[in-house]
Amino acid sequence: MKPPKPKSTGRTSLEKAFDPFTAALKRGAKPAGPTPAPAAPGKPGLDISPLAVPFPAIGTVGGVEIATARAGFYKHQRDDLVVFRFARGTSCAGVFTRHKIGSAPVDWCRRHLDGDEGGKDVRALVVNAGCANAFTGKPGADAARRTASEVAKRFGCRQRDVMLASTGVIGVTLDDRKIATRLGEVETRLDADTPAADQWTAAAQGIMTTDTFPKGSYAECKIEGHTVRIAGIAKGSGMIAPDMATMLAFIVTDADIHPNVLRAMLGLHVRTTFNSVTVDGDTSTNDTCLLFATGASGAPRIGRVGDRRLKDFSRALDGVMLDLAHQLVRDGEGATKFVKVTVDGAASPASARKLAKSIADSPLVKTALAGEDANWGRVVMAVGKTEEPVDRDRLAIRFGPHVAAVDGAPSSTYDEAKMSAYMKNAEIDITVDVGAGRASATVWTCDLTKRYIEINGDYRS
């Protein structure tokens, strides 16, 4: 049974983010008619994904202010620096890439959050787009430290209380002077009376690289009668196969939760959200998901993992994280199909997950989807190559409600016309029963089109 969706303020039009051309954009719909798609607010020359969804109306989350600025990491005019300022006593937890060549900001955050006192009083988050500061050695680490030091001086906190995240080109050392020279401007904007919705929209746009639309999510829930708010933004459209894309996700709640509890909850929900999506099977050096709890809601402090008072909050947090994860797939580079892959009847949850990811990551499956071809033989290939337990004579495959194969053979009711019509949908469900047990897993992915090659062929141009 699926948990009820968290209470949400709902989604509004994209007019604020993309005015005036996207008022008619609808979830999962392709642009109508022959009119070219509008340009995205990130990298020039990219059209907004036909799978794009509207940015939500995010309400005020107490204990956090956000400001953006143009530091100049990109040649074209755009904000590429985002700074969050948190109230004293804000808790923080993070989950990071397991890539063997992690970035300097990942190293920084992990080092300061993993200790016994880690995450107990985080005061700021600094994010830059355009430079990943990964594979940059000691100079990159020094640049990260200097950035934290400059922000700490202005906010009156320790360096360790400043979290960092970067995204962009790998192998280029961060020019931290570009950030330092903009901090005065950022402080002025932080102190301005900017509506919360505008702050979150600007932040979501400021962290974009090859993203074609800003990604956000918002929910409300209750803790002992107190209304608690959860807001989050994310970026990523290529190099997406989180293992915890270039993927960054930042979530803030005004609940009052101990860092150890945040860490446990984040680890629990990452597995079925960010770690269950894939665009191209590549994991980034910079994958970061940070969760902050400001305590400004007035709700009682939660200091124990498993506290029953967190039941509603846990559901709402999972909803926000899954929404953001789905948006990463919807903005997959060149994507035209949003695809849900479910494996049933597996020998174990781990086996089900491996099988589902094999299907979702297969270039042959993904290109068939792009061509609107229900080539279920490619699904059979992706299942068999995993060497996971599979009963060939019980294998069954469905595309949406249409059965392609059953009991290890083509279905006697297979209807090519109906299947072809289904494959033209913008959202596709693939369900495979491998007949080896009772475990299930779901992974979300997208198709693989010529546009993916074009975008990545000139990524640094």
Side-chain angles (χ1 to χ4, degrees):
M1 180 179 294
K2 293 183 179 180
K5 293 183 178 180
K7 181 180 176 183
S8 172
T9 59
R11 294 185 179 275
T12 63
S13 72
L14 279 172
E15 291 178 353
K16 284 189 177 180
F18 301 139
D19 184 66
F21 47 71
T22 52
L25 187 63
K26 295 182 179 179
R27 181 183 296 268
K30 295 184 178 181
T35 304
K43 184 177 180 179
L46 297 182
D47 297 334
I48 294 175
S49 169
L51 304 172
V53 296
F55 196 79
I58 296 183
T60 299
V61 180
V64 59
E65 295 94 26
I66 314 170
T68 66
R70 185 191 177 207
F73 292 107
Y74 286 96
K75 296 176 183 178
H76 57 285
Q77 291 284 341
R78 58 156 288 178
D79 283 356
D80 51 14
L81 173 64
V82 181
V83 178
F84 290 67
R85 182 173 63 188
F86 300 107
R88 291 187 181 279
T90 292
S91 299
C92 178
V95 179
F96 307 95
T97 183
R98 288 189 283 187
H99 197 287
K100 298 301 182 184
I101 307 174
S103 67
V106 164
D107 291 345
W108 175 272
C109 291
R110 182 181 279 135
R111 181 165 68 252
H112 293 300
L113 289 178
D114 283 353
D116 292 338
E117 297 298 311
K120 286 192 174 180
D121 188 16
V122 171
R123 300 297 308 285
L125 166 65
V126 182
V127 189
N128 74 274
C131 175
N133 198 17
F135 201 60
T136 50
K138 187 175 185 301
D142 289 342
R145 176 184 51 77
R146 288 192 298 266
T147 298
S149 177
E150 286 295 323
V151 174
K153 290 175 185 176
R154 288 181 175 272
F155 289 3
C157 63
R158 301 169 298 180
Q159 293 182 29
R160 61 176 295 166
D161 299 329
V162 178
M163 296 294 104
L164 305 172
S166 299
T167 181
V169 176
I170 294 171
V172 178
T173 301
L174 181 73
D175 184 352
D176 55 284
R177 294 170 299 179
K178 292 182 176 181
I179 295 176
T181 57
R182 291 297 181 183
L183 290 180
E185 174 186 342
V186 166
E187 275 196 293
T188 299
R189 293 184 178 183
L190 286 171
D191 293 333
D193 192 21
T194 306
D198 293 345
Q199 292 183 41
W200 284 99
T201 299
Q205 290 179 331
I207 63 176
M208 292 166 63
T209 51
T210 57
D211 303 67
T212 71
F213 66 92
K215 302 164 184 64
S217 188
Y218 178 73
E220 295 180 358
C221 61
K222 297 285 186 179
I223 295 181
E224 282 201 348
H226 294 267
T227 298
V228 169
R229 299 157 189 85
I230 306 171
I233 59 174
K235 65 83 48 185
S237 58
M239 206 183 291
I240 301 289
D243 188 15
M244 347 173 271
T246 331
M247 190 212 85
L248 301 179
F250 310 113
I251 304 165
V252 184
T253 177
D254 52 12
D256 191 354
I257 303 176
H258 190 279
N260 290 345
V261 181
L262 284 184
R263 192 175 301 118
M265 297 187 73
L266 189 59
L268 172 68
H269 294 304
V270 157
R271 180 174 179 80
T272 54
T273 59
F274 294 121
N275 275 5
S276 291
V277 297
T278 178
V279 167
D280 48 22
D282 284 335
T283 297
S284 169
T285 55
N286 291 53
D287 284 347
T288 297
C289 181
L290 293 171
L291 173 60
F292 303 87
T294 68
S297 66
R301 183 169 179 80
I302 306 295
R304 181 176 60 84
V305 175
D307 193 312
R308 292 184 178 181
R309 292 174 295 178
L310 284 174
K311 185 177 181 180
D312 193 24
F313 178 86
S314 181
R315 255 197 315 263
L317 176 62
D318 184 74
V320 166
M321 292 173 65
L322 187 59
D323 186 14
L324 292 174
H326 283 180
Q327 291 182 54
L328 298 178
V329 173
R330 289 181 174 275
D331 203 15
E333 290 169 341
T336 65
K337 306 287 186 183
F338 178 77
V339 185
K340 178 182 179 182
V341 178
T342 300
V343 169
D344 296 323
S348 68
S351 180
R353 179 179 174 80
K354 185 174 180 180
L355 287 159
K357 292 203 73 173
S358 179
I359 298 167
D361 279 334
S362 168
L364 287 176
V365 172
K366 292 159 74 69
T367 50
L369 291 165
E372 300 182 339
D373 177 15
N375 191 337
W376 53 270
R378 293 182 177 181
V379 176
V380 173
M381 174 279 301
V383 167
K385 74 177 184 179
T386 63
E387 299 184 0
E388 291 297 309
V390 173
D391 187 335
R392 182 190 61 188
D393 296 330
R394 295 178 63 189
L395 188 69
I397 302 171
R398 296 198 316 271
F399 288 78
H402 307 292
V403 179
V406 64
D407 292 334
S411 170
S412 60
T413 62
Y414 182 84
D415 188 316
E416 184 70 31
K418 289 182 179 180
M419 191 70 82
S420 295
Y422 177 76
M423 297 304 293
K424 295 185 183 301
N425 292 331
E427 300 191 12
I428 302 291
D429 285 359
I430 300 174
T431 305
V432 181
D433 192 315
V434 297
R438 301 176 63 182
S440 298
T442 299
V443 171
W444 292 267
T445 190
C446 59
D447 56 345
L448 181 60
T449 68
K450 295 177 181 178
R451 187 63 179 140
Y452 178 89
I453 299 171
E454 294 169 357
I455 291 170
N456 283 283
D458 66 356
Y459 180 75
R460 296 201 304 169
S461 300

